[in-house]
Every structure is written in C-alpha cells, then in structure tokens.
Amino acid sequence: HRIIWYSGNKPAEDTVMDLKNVENVWVGVQDPALIKNTLPMLSHITFSVVYKLKGKEKRLHLTCKDEPEFDLWVCGIKALSYHFKGIPISKLDLLGHSRTFNHYIENKQVGESTKAFFEEEKEGKTKKALEDYIIRKVRSKDEIKQSYKKIAQRLAGLQDDVDEATESINLDPESKMEGYKVLTAKESEADDSTQLKNRMNELLEMCIKNNNKVLSDLEATHEEEGKDLEYEQKIKSLDAKLWKIEIDIENIADMVKRINLQGDVTWKEKFKNWFPKIFQHSN
C-alpha cells in the first residue's frame, strides 16, 4: 500500500511513500516551495501529500493531467490513509476538494453530488487536459517536424542507455531496489529491479511509437482553404503529443539514473563487505 515514483537524484528508498504514514493532503499550492515553481493556471489540479519517512516529515507535490484525475487521486489518498489509521471520514471531508462535487452541493443537489464525482465524462463534453491550461505559441508544421527529429535522435541515444542499464540488472542479481516493492499480487513474484526494467522499456517503446505516429499524422495534415481553425487545432494537438513524449523521456532518463545510482551503491556495499575480509586473509 505505497506510492512509488522515480527520481534520478534519489535512491529508491527515498522515493516511496507508505500510505499508513500520510499525515495530511494539501489541495492547491500551499507549500511555499511550490509557489514560485507552479503555473497559476495549474494550481487547481495540484496537491501536496505530507508524510513521514524515517521519522522525518516529507512532502510529495503532484500536478494532475486534468480535474477528474485530480479528484480521484486526492480522494483515493485520503480514503486509504484514513482507512489504515482506522479513522472514519465524512463525505464532505473525502470529496470536498472537488469542484464538481461542490458545484452540486451549492445547488442543493446532494443526491447527485457523489454520482457526478465518479461518473465518466459525458459524450460531447470537452474535458480539459493539462496541456490545455498552458498557453503556448502555435508552431508551424516545419517546426513540429524539427521537434520530431530532435526527439527521435534523443530516443535513439536513450535506447543505448536503457539497454546498458537493463544489461546491468541482468548481470548483477545482487542489485536490488531496496524499499521498492511491487503493488499487486500478480507482480509479487517479480523482483523490484525487474519491474523497473520492464516499465522503463515499455515507456521507451511507447515513446518511439507515439513519436512516429506524430510524424505520420503530421504528414497527413494539410491546410485547407476556409478551415484554418481546424488545421490549427490539429497542429496544436500534435505539438501537445510531442510535449508529452518529452516528459516521458525525462521519466525514462530518471529511471536510468536510478539504476546507475543503485549500481554504484551496490558496489560500495560490496567493497565494504570485502575490505575486512582482505585483512583477515592477510593475517
């Protein structure tokens, strides 16, 4: 019952949060460290989890891709943390962070409030995603093609890094991700480093596939007279897809760094164990 994330600058045991140790969930931008680093238009889909790790208070800051994701993540973390503590929670405390829920409450539609919170997006209703909140200059078709080429080159280089990291896991069975555990019973037999390796390769494969799809869709997109707005929306959509790929590339790079960092720590531990034995044999 933990949340795990990847960071190339921290060991695995520092990027895991036991839901039993959650102390609070702050909705919006309340942490002073976030104020200067969060775009104002994203504050309503941003939250912070305050938790304890090794006896010290830590904070995990998250920005969701849209409001439904924000609503469910905050609701889920609240529900699980209260459950593990054996403390009851009211519907208002559980769902009060949701603008959708509060809209129905304010309109005295209490019976509909919970249903509206969990229901799927209705057909024809436009759901705002993360990229919709960020105002970006509409780029030309040539500019997007250049971005595609740069991303393709980076993915090719990243493929080598991933292969090398994967090989290091396969060769060194002692290199485990301590503090990193699988979350489902189905995956419980897999060791932690294998799960990380699989996720890293899956994400890389998805990035390559999506990047190639952007190029094919771009080449099939043509500006037509009288349909400037439709053409612009297609271009913006492809640009947003490239932006998401770039974010995933950073996630993959963090995974590679984590494996390399874990490998360095493993060899340090081995050396510490071997060092006294060297002197024992010499005596």
Side-chain angles (χ1 to χ4, degrees):
H1 304 99
R2 299 184 292 179
I3 293 176
I4 301 161
W5 61 99
Y6 303 106
S7 172
N9 300 318
K10 296 180 181 179
E13 60 267 22
D14 289 343
T15 56
V16 58
M17 176 179 65
D18 193 323
L19 290 169
K20 294 178 183 177
N21 297 329
V22 172
E23 297 193 330
N24 208 342
V25 180
W26 295 345
V27 175
V29 182
Q30 298 189 41
D31 191 316
L34 270 182
I35 294 175
K36 62 180 180 180
N37 296 320
T38 304
L39 296 172
M41 69 283 291
L42 302 180
S43 61
H44 70 293
I45 51 174
T46 298
F47 67 99
S48 303
V49 185
V50 183
Y51 65 101
K52 282 287 180 69
L53 179 67
K54 301 175 184 177
K56 295 181 180 180
E57 182 182 286
K58 299 288 183 179
R59 295 169 190 174
L60 174 63
H61 307 300
L62 298 166
T63 296
C64 299
K65 73 175 187 294
D66 52 41
E67 284 198 59
E69 183 178 78
F70 167 81
D71 287 348
L72 291 175
W73 264 87
V74 175
C75 172
I77 292 174
K78 284 182 184 177
L80 289 170
S81 64
Y82 272 75
H83 168 74
F84 292 132
K85 292 173 185 174
I87 303 173
I89 183 171
S90 68
K91 180 193 286 189
L92 187 60
D93 286 336
L94 182 64
L95 306 179
H97 61 277
S98 169
R99 298 201 300 188
T100 300
F101 175 79
N102 287 323
H103 170 76
Y104 281 89
I105 294 296
E106 289 167 4
N107 287 280
K108 299 183 172 30
Q109 295 176 286
V110 179
E112 294 292 317
S113 60
T114 307
K115 179 182 176 183
F117 180 88
F118 291 106
E119 73 178 358
E120 295 291 329
E121 291 291 319
K122 294 179 180 178
E123 188 176 349
K125 183 178 178 182
T126 303
K127 180 175 71 174
K128 267 196 166 187
L130 178 62
E131 62 270 16
D132 296 324
Y133 294 106
I134 302 175
I135 300 173
R136 305 173 71 197
K137 175 189 172 184
V138 180
R139 298 198 295 170
S140 70
K141 194 172 178 178
D142 287 339
E143 287 174 326
I144 293 177
K145 186 172 287 189
Q146 287 302 313
S147 289
Y148 156 80
K149 290 179 179 178
K150 288 179 181 178
I151 290 173
Q153 289 173 354
R154 188 168 183 200
L155 285 169
L158 201 55
Q159 180 73 69
D160 294 335
D161 295 337
V162 168
D163 290 343
E164 186 176 336
T166 299
E167 188 64 22
S168 70
I169 291 176
N170 294 337
L171 290 175
D172 189 1
E174 294 183 40
S175 179
K176 302 292 184 183
M177 297 294 178
E178 295 184 8
Y180 179 95
K181 300 294 182 184
V182 291
L183 299 178
T184 65
K186 183 179 180 181
E187 297 172 321
S188 61
E189 296 180 1
D191 64 50
D192 306 326
S193 51
T194 298
Q195 187 189 18
L196 177 58
K197 176 190 72 174
N198 292 341
R199 176 57 182 154
M200 183 174 61
N201 280 280
E202 287 170 5
L203 198 55
L204 178 60
E205 184 179 338
M206 184 182 71
C207 285
I208 294 171
K209 180 180 177 181
N210 290 343
N211 198 43
N212 290 334
K213 182 70 166 57
V214 166
L215 179 63
S216 62
D217 289 347
L218 184 66
E219 291 176 340
T221 301
H222 304 287
E223 191 168 5
E224 298 179 31
E225 189 175 347
K227 294 186 178 181
D228 292 346
L229 184 59
E230 183 180 336
Y231 173 79
E232 183 178 302
Q233 289 300 323
K234 288 180 180 178
I235 291 297
K236 285 178 68 176
S237 175
L238 294 175
D239 198 11
K241 289 176 181 177
L242 288 179
W243 177 61
K244 290 179 181 177
I245 293 170
E246 288 175 329
I247 293 174
D248 284 334
I249 285 174
E250 295 304 322
N251 290 333
I252 297 169
D254 273 343
M255 293 181 197
V256 171
K257 286 172 68 177
R258 163 174 282 193
I259 291 172
N260 293 337
L261 175 66
Q262 187 67 25
D264 291 343
V265 172
T266 301
W267 283 107
K268 286 178 184 177
E269 292 300 318
K270 286 179 181 178
F271 185 75
K272 284 169 63 177
N273 293 331
W274 291 338
F275 194 74
K277 295 177 182 179
I278 294 172
F279 287 97
Q280 288 174 6
H281 289 304
S282 63
N283 292 332

